[in-house]
Amino acid sequence: MIYRTLWVKLFFSAIVGFLTFGSSAALASNSVTLYTPYTKISVPPGESVDYSIDVINNSKQLQNKEISVSGIPRSWSYALKSGGWSISQLAVLPGERKNLSLKVDVPYQVNKGSYRFKVMAGDSASLSLVITVSAKGTYETELTTDQPNMEGSSTSTFTFKATLKNRTADQQLYALMADATRGWNVNFKADYKQVTSVELPANTTKDISVEITAPAQIEAGTYQIPISANTNSTSAKLSLEVVITGTYNMELTTPTGLLSTEVTAGDEKRVELVVRNTGSSLLSDVKLTASAPSNWNVIFEPTKIDKLLPGKDEQVFATIKADKKAIPGDYVVNMQAGTPETTSKAAFRISVKTSMLWGWIGVLIIFVALGSVYRLFRKYGRR
C-alpha cells in the first residue's frame, strides 16, 4: 500500500513536470513575434519595397535576437535598418517592441511572378513575405510621347513633348540626336533650355521638348523625323510624324509685270491683273481690295476668286476712275489680293493728264484772238 501511494505521487509529479516543461518551451518559442500589416505587395520591375516590421517581446525576459532574411533571390538587394543604423541583431525589453525597416530593391531584369522570402528573429520567430512582380522587367532606356504626330503649314513650328526614362541601374548621360533630311531644323529643350544632351540618374525620367521646323520650299505631305537618346551602353528611338498641309503664297501683278499706267482726269482706265498661286496649297475666297486717292474709285471684276489651285493664275480686271478735278501728276493706287492665310500687294503708279478738250479750247481761243487782231489791223491799218 505504501509503495502504491509512492508510485502514484511519482506519476503525478512526472506529469506536472512534463506539463511545466512543455509550457515553458511553448512560452520560449512564442517569446518574440515579428509583425507587418503588408505581407504581399505587387510592384513593377525596378521598384523598391519598404517594409516597417515590429519586433515584439512577449516574454518577461530580455530578448536579443539575430535578425536575418532568407529565401530572397540572389540578384535582389535589401537593407535592414533600425534607428538609422544597419543591423543584424536586435535587443527588446520584456513586454516591449522595436521597429526595424526592410528595404527590398527589385531589379529591372526580372521575370513576372511571385517571390517568397522570410525575415527571421533567431530560431524562434519568422515572418513570411511575398513580392509579386507585375510584369517582365528589362534593362533599357525608353523614349516615348503621347502625341507622335502633328499637322500644319510649312511655316509652322511643331513642338512635341517626349519623356525619356532611364530604366537601368546606372546614371546615364544621353546624347540627343535627330536623323532629319537636309533643310529640317530640330531642337531639343530640357528644363526650358536648349540642350544636346541630358543626364539621368538610375530609375528616373525627364521631360524633353522637341521643336521641329520644315524647309522653306517643302511640298505638302507626310514626313517622318526619327529622334534618339544614346549612350555607350543603351539607347532609345522615337519616330515623330509631321504632316505639311502646304505653303500659302500668292502674287498680284499684271501679265507684263508693268505696274504703271496713264489716265485723264475724270476718265476711267481698265487694267488687266493676274492673281497667281505661288504656294503648294489651295487658296480659297481670295478677296480683292484697293486703296486710292480721295474721290478716286476702283472696281474689280470679279471682286472675289472662290478657288485658286497651286501654280494656277486667275485673270482679274480693275477699272480705275480718276477724280475729274485731279491735277496733272503721278498718283499711287494700292491693290491687294488676300485670304486669311496670305496676302499680296501691288502699288500702281497712275499718271494723270489734262483733257485734250481744254487744249483744243485753248488753241481756239488763241486763233480767235489772232483773228480779232488781224481784223483790227485791216480795218484801222490804212488810217
Side-chain angles (χ1 to χ4, degrees), residues 143 160-164 176 187-191 195 198 200 206-210 227 229:
L143 186 60
F160 294 87
K161 301 297 182 182
T163 301
L164 179 62
L176 303 175
N187 292 318
F188 298 95
K189 288 185 176 181
D191 300 324
V195 296
V198 291
L200 271 72
K206 182 174 283 293
D207 292 330
I208 297 173
S209 177
V210 186
I227 64 172

Side-chain angles (χ1 to χ4, degrees), residues 107-174:
Y108 285 101
Q109 287 183 307
V110 64
N111 291 324
K112 180 180 179 181
S114 295
Y115 296 82
R116 301 175 183 273
F117 57 96
K118 290 182 179 182
V119 179
M120 309 288 296
D123 297 328
S124 59
S126 66
L127 176 64
S128 295
L129 300 173
V130 179
I131 293 179
T132 300
V133 179
S134 57
K136 181 178 176 60
T138 58
Y139 185 87
E140 63 181 16
T141 296
E142 291 183 0
L143 186 60
T144 59
T145 182
D146 293 332
Q147 181 61 47
N149 60 343
M150 289 188 180
E151 181 179 276
S153 68
S154 62
T155 58
S156 301
T157 298
F158 303 91
T159 303
F160 294 87
K161 301 297 182 182
T163 301
L164 179 62
K165 299 179 182 179
N166 178 8
R167 298 187 64 183
T168 73
D170 304 311
Q171 181 168 290
Q172 302 286 353
L173 178 62
Y174 292 97

Side-chain angles (χ1 to χ4, degrees), residues 186-197:
V186 182
N187 292 318
F188 298 95
K189 288 185 176 181
D191 300 324
Y192 306 101
K193 296 179 182 178
Q194 187 167 323
V195 296
T196 58
S197 63

Side-chain angles (χ1 to χ4, degrees), residues 154-264:
S154 62
T155 58
S156 301
T157 298
F158 303 91
T159 303
F160 294 87
K161 301 297 182 182
T163 301
L164 179 62
K165 299 179 182 179
N166 178 8
R167 298 187 64 183
T168 73
D170 304 311
Q171 181 168 290
Q172 302 286 353
L173 178 62
Y174 292 97
L176 303 175
M177 305 176 65
D179 186 17
T181 56
R182 185 178 178 182
W184 289 84
N185 189 29
V186 182
N187 292 318
F188 298 95
K189 288 185 176 181
D191 300 324
Y192 306 101
K193 296 179 182 178
Q194 187 167 323
V195 296
T196 58
S197 63
V198 291
E199 191 170 32
L200 271 72
N203 196 26
T204 59
T205 64
K206 182 174 283 293
D207 292 330
I208 297 173
S209 177
V210 186
E211 294 182 353
I212 301 175
T213 55
Q217 301 300 324
I218 194 169
E219 296 182 356
T222 301
Y223 298 86
Q224 300 294 327
I225 310 297
I227 64 172
S228 61
N230 306 294
T231 71
N232 293 331
S233 59
T234 180
S235 65
K237 295 182 179 181
L238 176 64
S239 182
L240 302 176
E241 184 178 86
V242 174
V243 180
I244 302 295
T245 56
T247 57
Y248 295 95
N249 288 303
M250 73 170 71
E251 182 183 11
L252 176 62
T253 185
T254 63
T256 62
L258 184 65
L259 299 179
S260 62
T261 188
E262 296 179 348
V263 67
T264 301

Side-chain angles (χ1 to χ4, degrees), residues 239-309:
S239 182
L240 302 176
E241 184 178 86
V242 174
V243 180
I244 302 295
T245 56
T247 57
Y248 295 95
N249 288 303
M250 73 170 71
E251 182 183 11
L252 176 62
T253 185
T254 63
T256 62
L258 184 65
L259 299 179
S260 62
T261 188
E262 296 179 348
V263 67
T264 301
D267 285 350
E268 297 180 349
K269 186 74 173 185
R270 197 166 188 253
V271 178
E272 183 181 359
L273 305 174
V274 174
V275 180
R276 181 174 296 120
N277 185 349
T278 57
S280 59
S281 296
L282 174 70
L283 295 175
S284 302
D285 298 327
V286 181
K287 296 181 180 179
L288 294 139
T289 57
S291 174
S294 179
N295 297 322
W296 287 53
N297 192 24
V298 180
I299 299 174
F300 291 99
E301 184 184 350
T303 59
K304 184 179 74 170
I305 302 172
D306 293 331
K307 292 182 179 180
L308 187 57
L309 296 173

